[in-house]
Amino acid sequence: MSKLRHIAVIVEDPEASAKFFEEAFDMKRAGTARRGIYMSDGIFNVALLKKEGDEKLGLYHFGMWVDDLDAAEKKVVNAGGEYLAGRPTSPKSFYEAKYKSPTGLVFDLTHTGWAGAVKDVVPAK
């Protein structure tokens, strides 16, 4: 099963947004993105990305952590999805492959994960 472990949000000021996530949600900084800051609750990665050009503020895309990127891509394409761009470049890369659903929603697939995210969560007993 694919695991939802990432969302990217377009913001005006990544630093101010990161401080809000720290204070309001007790999230921790997990690293930096090309144009922003990665936050984490210990399971989930939230990328706070600086607005560029005429991008709209808010949800930019989501990301699914998969076991096998090639098999997951086949399932996405067979379900009507479309490959857009990218592939992880190394085992430690947080870069992902981008796709678009039949309704136009952009999402990522990765088999290597995101900073601060964990793939499998074991419930507390």
Side-chain angles (χ1 to χ4, degrees), residues 1-121:
M1 175 189 294
S2 300
K3 310 287 182 162
L4 179 63
R5 292 292 183 264
H6 166 75
I7 61 168
V9 181
I10 301 296
V11 299
E12 289 285 354
D13 182 343
E15 182 59 37
S17 295
K19 286 180 182 177
F20 174 78
F21 274 65
E22 288 171 326
E23 293 174 15
F25 309 124
D26 295 323
M27 292 184 85
K28 307 290 184 223
R29 292 172 190 241
T32 57
R34 178 185 61 82
R35 60 177 174 150
I37 300 169
Y38 289 127
M39 303 297 293
S40 178
D41 63 359
I43 297 170
F44 204 85
N45 168 283
V46 178
L48 301 170
L49 305 177
K50 181 165 182 54
K51 181 179 187 247
E52 292 182 343
D54 58 356
E55 290 177 325
K56 294 185 191 247
L57 298 176
L59 183 64
Y60 187 43
H61 64 261
F62 67 94
M64 303 298 289
W65 195 332
V66 301
D67 292 325
D68 181 318
L69 189 56
D70 293 327
E73 179 177 282
K74 286 179 187 173
K75 286 181 75 172
V76 165
V77 170
N78 288 340
E82 173 188 348
Y83 171 78
L84 294 177
R87 278 298 235 218
T89 55
S90 75
K92 294 185 179 182
S93 171
F94 293 127
Y95 192 74
E96 56 275 308
K98 295 202 173 295
Y99 300 84
K100 183 167 54 171
S101 75
T103 60
L105 185 59
V106 175
F107 61 94
D108 302 332
L109 295 179
T110 185
H111 64 292
T112 58
W114 291 272
V118 293
K119 184 176 182 191
D120 296 310
V121 179

